[in-house]
């Protein structure tokens, strides 16, 4: 593809950061998407070269062959509260340094020109010092950046937030800028953070800057909560389990309020409320209780609900997953059709199936 002589293209952002993390710290990171920034060009020139626009008013384009994202270098100006309250300026006179300056953390504000690192804000030094530091005061204009900084704490266990950056995050909470966070963005960042290697650090960082207390005072977070969250991450549990562990010590009314605020997926909300409804039934001591729990969780049609619930219970040392798996497998093998046909009193079919499952579970555990 032929480019304008004044056009310059750089590899930027997370891909550059992760390459350096692999190089210096041997982090085992998945290969992420490559993002590019284009300096010295305009939207019409990108279109003329076959790039495909991503949105109507946003200067990001897809490469016609690779489908990687190419964004015009731009500056931002805050004009209103919240995530969407920005005006963009994306013209050929915007420099790479100006584009990098609008980014959140210095480790995300580096670029590569072939093999040459361009690092105007000290991102490499911060990375080597394992420090998360904001690029400029513009960090305070977008409250989502508080969540992103906390998420990087969850991803990079040995990194810490710079003192001045934490102070800025605290001031954003105190002056109400963080109140402009919208539920969709909060949930998006939270679900990503809880799936990181040390999700407890996401929560503690939000506590340190005051955001958790301001937004979710109803959710009780104890030392045990933080410990089981990280245990769940080490066990590679799914997001339903991790959200449920996050809220495991809170009351049902608190969970309802929390869900109204973050608007989780239906599966996550279902898992949260199911735990609140059934947690007092643990531990399970005999086959009848195991089968009853399967029936209450609709385990024979949706076994994942039962497994998720028992996984949460296991982290709280209330159940054995080995026993749970054995019990579920045994109960699933019971053929309900022949039992129903053999039952002369049709009103007792359910009872007969329940007893047959209990007998099977008794043998299995």
């Amino acid at each position: 593809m032929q480019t304008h002589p004044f056009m310059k293209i750089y590899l930027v952002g997370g891909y550059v950061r992760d390459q350096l993390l692999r190089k210096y710290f041997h982090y085992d990171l998945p290969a992420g998407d490559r993002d590019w920034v284009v300096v010295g060009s305009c939207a019409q020139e990108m279109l003329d070269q076959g790039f495909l626009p991503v949105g109507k008013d946003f200067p990001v384009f897809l490469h016609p062959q690779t489908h990687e994202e190419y964004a015009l270098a731009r500056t931002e100006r805050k004009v209103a509260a919240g995530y969407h309250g920005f005006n963009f300026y994306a013209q050929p006179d915007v420099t790479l340094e100006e584009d990098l300056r609008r980014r959140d953390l210095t480790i995300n504000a580096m670029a590569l020109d072939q093999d040459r690192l361009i690092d105007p804000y000290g991102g490499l030094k911060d990375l080597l010092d394992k420090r998360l530091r904001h690029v400029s005061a513009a960090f305070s204009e977008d409250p989502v950046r508080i969540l992103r900084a906390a998420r990087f704490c969850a991803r990079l266990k040995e990194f810490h937030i710079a003192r001045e950056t934490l102070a800025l995050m605290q001031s954003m909470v105190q002056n109400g800028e963080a109140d402009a966070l919208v539920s969709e963005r909060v949930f998006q960042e939270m679900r990503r953070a809880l799936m990181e290697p040390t999700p407890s650090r996401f929560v503690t960082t939000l506590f340190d800057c005051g955001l958790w207390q301001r937004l979710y005072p109803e959710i009780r977070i104890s030392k045990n909560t933080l410990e089981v969250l990280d245990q769940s991450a080490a066990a590679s549990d799914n997001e339903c389990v991790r959200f449920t562990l996050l809220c495991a010590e809170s009351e049902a009314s608190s969970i309802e309020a929390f869900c109204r605020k973050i608007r989780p997926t239906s599966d996550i909300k279902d898992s949260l409320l199911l735990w609140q409804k059934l947690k007092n039934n643990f531990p399970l001591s005999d086959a009848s209780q195991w089968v009853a729990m399967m029936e209450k969780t609709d385990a024979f049609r949706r076994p994942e609900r039962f497994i998720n619930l028992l996984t949460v219970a296991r982290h709280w040392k209330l159940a054995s997953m080995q026993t749970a798996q054995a019990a579920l497998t045994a109960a699933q093998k019971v053929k309900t059709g022949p039992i129903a046909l053999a039952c002369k009193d049709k009103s007792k079919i359910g009872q007969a199936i329940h007893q047959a499952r209990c007998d099977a579970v008794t043998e299995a555990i």
Side-chain angles (χ1 to χ4, degrees):
M1 177 177 293
Q2 187 174 7
T3 60
H4 190 281
F6 296 110
M7 179 190 290
K8 190 73 176 176
I9 300 175
Y10 302 90
L11 189 59
V12 296
Y15 188 87
V16 177
R17 176 201 67 230
D18 289 350
Q19 277 196 334
L20 294 171
L21 286 170
R22 293 188 193 96
K23 177 180 178 180
Y24 291 107
F25 300 118
H26 307 292
Y27 269 86
D28 183 16
L29 298 169
D33 294 333
R34 298 193 302 176
D35 292 319
W36 305 84
V37 67
V38 181
V39 176
S41 187
C42 64
Q44 188 57 54
E45 185 175 18
M46 299 292 285
L47 296 173
D48 290 345
Q49 294 188 63
F51 283 85
L52 307 173
V54 171
K56 181 180 179 182
D57 302 315
F58 203 63
V60 178
F61 303 83
L62 297 180
H63 191 282
Q65 278 83 47
T66 68
H67 301 290
E68 293 178 330
E69 286 193 359
Y70 285 66
L72 290 175
R74 67 183 187 269
T75 58
E76 298 174 348
R77 183 168 63 90
K78 183 78 167 178
V79 294
Y83 176 69
H84 296 290
F86 292 91
N87 278 347
F88 300 102
Y89 178 78
Q91 294 299 323
D93 60 333
V94 178
T95 67
L96 175 64
E97 289 73 17
E98 288 174 324
D99 180 89
L100 294 176
R101 183 176 175 80
R102 68 177 176 78
R103 297 171 187 266
D104 52 3
L105 301 171
T106 59
I107 65 170
N108 298 327
M110 295 180 282
L112 279 177
D113 180 10
Q114 302 296 329
D115 293 327
R116 181 173 70 94
L117 182 68
I118 301 171
D119 180 20
Y121 304 108
L124 179 58
K125 185 177 188 307
D126 283 335
L127 184 142
L128 294 174
D129 291 339
K130 300 180 180 179
R131 179 171 52 235
L132 302 172
R133 181 171 60 88
H134 64 285
V135 177
S136 73
F139 181 99
S140 64
E141 295 177 349
D142 183 0
V144 173
R145 289 176 171 177
I146 296 177
L147 301 172
R148 280 176 54 82
R151 176 162 61 82
F152 277 110
C153 285
R155 176 182 297 181
L156 306 173
K157 181 179 180 180
E158 298 175 349
F159 279 59
H160 66 279
I161 292 182
R163 184 180 303 175
E164 61 269 30
T165 300
L166 181 60
L168 184 58
M169 292 163 61
Q170 291 168 338
S171 70
M172 292 168 67
V173 174
Q174 292 164 5
N175 66 23
E177 176 64 29
D179 294 345
L181 284 165
V182 295
S183 58
E184 291 81 6
R185 289 308 306 276
V186 172
F187 176 62
Q188 180 183 3
E189 290 295 329
M190 187 176 292
R191 75 189 303 190
R192 293 176 69 184
L194 290 184
M195 296 306 291
E196 298 288 7
T198 52
S200 66
R201 299 194 74 217
F202 174 76
V203 179
T204 55
T205 301
L206 296 187
F207 263 100
D208 289 344
C209 71
L211 185 62
W212 190 274
Q213 302 91 306
R214 191 179 186 99
L215 296 185
Y216 314 116
E218 65 275 3
I219 299 300
R220 182 175 182 270
I221 302 294
S222 69
K223 182 180 179 180
N224 286 340
T225 299
L226 300 176
E227 289 176 353
V228 297
L229 265 180
D230 289 346
Q231 291 170 9
S232 182
S236 300
D237 293 329
N238 62 46
E239 64 179 8
C240 287
V241 171
R242 298 197 198 187
F243 268 92
T244 305
L245 289 169
L246 175 70
C247 301
E249 296 188 276
S250 301
E251 300 300 323
S253 58
S254 299
I255 301 303
E256 292 280 7
F258 182 66
C259 289
R260 287 194 296 271
K261 290 178 180 179
I262 69 167
R263 299 181 186 176
T265 63
S266 58
D267 285 345
I268 291 174
K269 183 177 180 180
D270 178 60
S271 182
L272 292 173
L273 295 177
L274 196 63
W275 172 255
Q276 294 305 317
K277 180 181 178 181
L278 299 176
K279 65 180 181 180
N280 292 330
N281 291 1
F282 291 99
L284 308 175
S285 59
D286 58 38
S288 179
Q289 291 179 351
W290 280 102
V291 174
M293 182 62 70
M294 294 176 207
E295 292 168 346
K296 290 173 182 176
T297 57
D298 197 17
F300 301 106
R301 291 192 306 168
R302 299 175 59 189
E304 73 282 354
R305 296 173 89 232
F306 174 78
I307 294 300
N308 286 345
L309 189 75
L310 269 294
T311 302
V312 173
R314 176 179 64 83
H315 282 298
W316 286 100
K317 298 183 177 9
L318 296 173
S320 161
M321 281 306 297
Q322 183 176 356
T323 303
Q325 290 282 5
L328 179 60
T329 300
Q332 287 174 325
K333 289 180 178 179
V334 172
K335 304 297 184 182
T336 60
I339 295 174
L341 290 174
C343 196
K344 295 180 180 180
D345 185 346
K346 300 306 178 185
S347 67
K348 295 183 178 180
I349 290 177
Q351 181 180 344
I353 292 173
H354 175 87
Q355 187 57 53
R357 286 170 173 165
C358 287
D359 294 340
V361 171
T362 297
E363 290 186 15
I365 64 173

